[in-house]
Amino acid sequence: MKKIKNYSKITNFDQIQNFLNCYGAEHALFLDIETTGFSRAKAYVYLIGCAYLQGQYLVTEQFFADSQDTAAGGCTNQNSQTNHLEQERALLSELSAFCSRVLFDTVITFHGLAFDLPFLNSLCARFGLDPLFQPDYDNKNYVDLYAIYSVYRPVFQLPDLKQKTLEAFLGIDREDTYDSGALIKEYQEYVKNPTDRAEYLFLRHNREDLRGMAALLDLHAYTCFFNGGFQITDTAVSAYRKMDGSTGKELTISCLLAHPLPSAVSSIRPPFYLHAKKTKAMFRIPVYEGTLKYFYPNYKEYYYLPQEDMAIHKSVAAYVDRTHRQKATPANCYGKKTGLFLPQLQQVAAPAFFEAYQDAVSYFELPRQDETARGVYDGYCMHILQAMRDEKS
């Protein structure tokens, strides 16, 4: 077994600190493993990589099983199986010693809650050892970057949420061109015919995964933005030309972001549009101009007037000729209002108006330009951001 230690200069130190501060953490451990397969029952771990901050540097420590003598993922005889077990026991021993000497209160992985940590814990169980990582019981923070950032896939508009894809979104270039699956075949060849080149590929891939996780903490700026880290600087209603050539009105909301975004995003979640770049964001929303309906909650207390196309309360309907009124139903128990309205997918502001009964989209009146409008727009922007994030890819 080999132990390899490297140092690399951190270029996003402030972003890492902002990320850790949000978790009340001070010392982070980045963790990534390489295995001969994805089955905990059949596969073996052959490389464990750890990384931590030391001043302005990211220190990576890797523990590599370099003397396997059977094809990865399987055993041809009792001796080879024993060799696998000895290598894994040695790797666990090094990881345990590392965890004892390196101070950390937060474990950061990429898809680690679903794969890396359960794999290591099952390995501990195989040797009758206590698990090294217990997300449900110990007092450490466990952060899975995949779980955090996968919700932004509709906003990032990426083909997938692989670590390399997110790194490319941030403009990060890798020397490594392999994914974990491709490395399995390389390792199968390596155990038959060990070469320095193959060993370099395994170590480089794992090391770049660790460094990549630290770089991905730049994405925390999007979490801050979508959690309300912005300030509205301007709102305006103006004319615009629709796709069919007609004209309409739209509301633009301009914002200043608390943390600059590392990459620009443009996202559409009808009827909303968002563009954000660096420290600025702009929302564009079509304004409905016309007459909408407000549906009264207790239709049994109302009568519908067909000629006027509206409902009135029974106390007033008593003065209306019986031939000009009928008992209201949920679908016609409404009043009407003409004006300028904004769409909402859930009720953000009341009262809610509709084009028709049980429409999915409702509307609220365009706020007047005063101090109370700012609070409405703050909540409205949060509503739009949630809709953007929840949009199905």
Side-chain angles (χ1 to χ4, degrees):
M1 189 195 69
K2 288 186 177 180
K3 293 185 287 185
I4 304 95
K5 191 172 185 177
N6 283 282
Y7 294 79
S8 58
K9 185 74 172 180
I10 296 172
T11 59
N12 63 333
F13 183 81
D14 290 341
Q15 289 85 347
I16 292 176
Q17 290 303 313
N18 287 336
F19 181 92
L20 295 179
N21 289 339
C22 286
Y23 286 88
E26 296 182 7
H27 307 285
L29 166 66
F30 298 89
L31 179 69
D32 184 56
I33 67 173
E34 308 302 333
T35 66
T36 61
F38 302 107
S39 168
R40 283 178 254 166
K42 299 179 180 179
Y44 295 88
V45 59
Y46 65 87
L47 175 58
I48 299 176
C50 301
Y52 53 94
L53 302 178
Q54 191 174 90
Q56 295 289 327
Y57 289 86
L58 183 73
V59 183
T60 59
E61 295 193 32
Q62 296 169 287
F63 314 119
F64 176 56
D66 65 333
S67 61
Q68 302 279 21
D69 62 359
T70 59
C75 304
T76 58
N77 53 52
Q78 185 64 38
N79 290 335
S80 63
Q81 183 177 16
T82 301
N83 184 68
H84 279 303
L85 294 175
E86 290 175 352
Q87 289 289 336
E88 288 189 308
R89 187 187 293 275
L91 289 173
L92 273 185
S93 177
E94 288 296 336
L95 179 60
S96 179
F98 171 89
C99 292
S100 297
R101 65 179 168 81
V102 175
L103 178 66
F104 64 94
D105 54 20
T106 300
V107 180
I108 299 177
T109 61
F110 193 90
H111 227 310
L113 289 178
F115 181 73
D116 301 67
L117 300 183
F119 200 105
L120 288 173
N121 287 339
S122 68
L123 193 60
C124 290
R126 186 183 304 169
F127 293 112
L129 303 174
D130 291 333
L132 291 173
F133 306 101
Q134 302 185 72
D136 295 328
Y137 300 103
D138 62 29
N139 58 356
K140 293 180 175 60
N141 297 310
Y142 287 87
V143 181
D144 189 328
L145 299 183
Y146 175 83
I148 292 176
Y149 299 129
S150 61
V151 298
Y152 299 107
R153 182 175 178 178
V155 180
F156 296 157
Q157 297 186 13
L158 300 174
D160 56 63
L161 267 296
K162 296 178 181 178
Q163 181 172 336
K164 284 187 178 181
T165 305
L166 287 172
E167 290 175 10
F169 172 69
L170 293 178
I172 299 170
D173 293 323
R174 275 196 181 209
E175 292 182 24
D176 166 54
T177 59
Y178 288 84
D179 59 28
S180 296
L183 281 182
I184 293 175
K185 294 182 179 179
E186 290 288 338
Y187 192 75
Q188 289 172 341
E189 292 301 318
Y190 171 81
V191 297
K192 299 174 186 176
N193 181 30
T195 64
D196 290 341
R197 174 189 172 276
E199 182 176 316
Y200 171 75
L201 291 177
F202 306 140
L203 294 172
R204 182 182 66 179
H205 172 83
N206 180 257
R207 186 166 55 250
E208 291 195 3
D209 271 354
L210 293 168
R211 291 173 178 173
M213 279 189 270
L216 288 184
L217 299 192
D218 284 4
L219 293 172
H220 185 60
Y222 298 95
T223 300
C224 293
F225 174 33
F226 276 73
N227 285 343
F230 61 87
Q231 181 179 358
I232 294 176
T233 57
D234 185 50
T235 60
V237 175
S238 57
Y240 79 106
R241 187 169 296 278
K242 301 178 183 179
M243 295 294 292
D244 62 3
S246 63
T247 59
K249 289 185 172 67
E250 71 173 3
L251 169 70
T252 58
I253 304 176
S254 301
C255 303
L256 184 66
L257 307 187
H259 300 280
L261 303 181
S263 295
V265 292
S266 294
S267 183
I268 298 175
R269 194 322 183 175
F272 310 121
Y273 171 81
L274 165 69
H275 178 74
K277 183 178 182 180
K278 296 183 178 179
T279 59
K280 295 182 179 180
M282 181 183 68
F283 300 89
R284 293 172 56 188
I285 309 101
V287 176
Y288 185 97
E289 185 174 15
T291 301
L292 292 173
K293 301 170 181 176
Y294 171 75
F295 289 87
Y296 301 116
N298 189 358
Y299 70 92
K300 294 182 179 180
E301 296 296 322
Y302 290 83
Y303 278 97
Y304 176 67
L305 308 183
Q307 292 183 350
E308 288 80 6
D309 188 25
M310 60 178 290
I312 59 174
H313 195 266
K314 284 183 176 181
S315 60
V316 180
Y319 302 99
V320 177
D321 191 300
R322 292 177 179 271
T323 60
H324 290 83
R325 73 186 193 196
Q326 61 189 52
K327 289 184 178 180
T329 66
N332 64 21
C333 188
Y334 54 74
K336 293 182 177 181
K337 188 158 191 175
T338 301
L340 301 177
F341 303 86
L342 295 174
Q344 55 185 358
L345 304 182
Q346 297 176 348
Q347 186 166 316
V348 178
F353 297 87
F354 296 83
E355 292 187 75
Y357 182 60
Q358 290 186 333
D359 274 356
V361 178
S362 66
Y363 298 82
F364 65 94
E365 287 187 87
L366 181 74
R368 296 180 179 180
Q369 297 302 313
D370 55 25
E371 290 299 322
T372 60
R374 186 56 54 89
V376 174
Y377 284 136
D378 283 339
Y380 192 45
C381 288
M382 290 298 295
H383 167 66
I384 296 174
L385 289 172
Q386 181 179 344
M388 295 281 182
R389 189 171 54 195
D390 294 345
E391 175 75 345
K392 300 297 182 183
S393 301

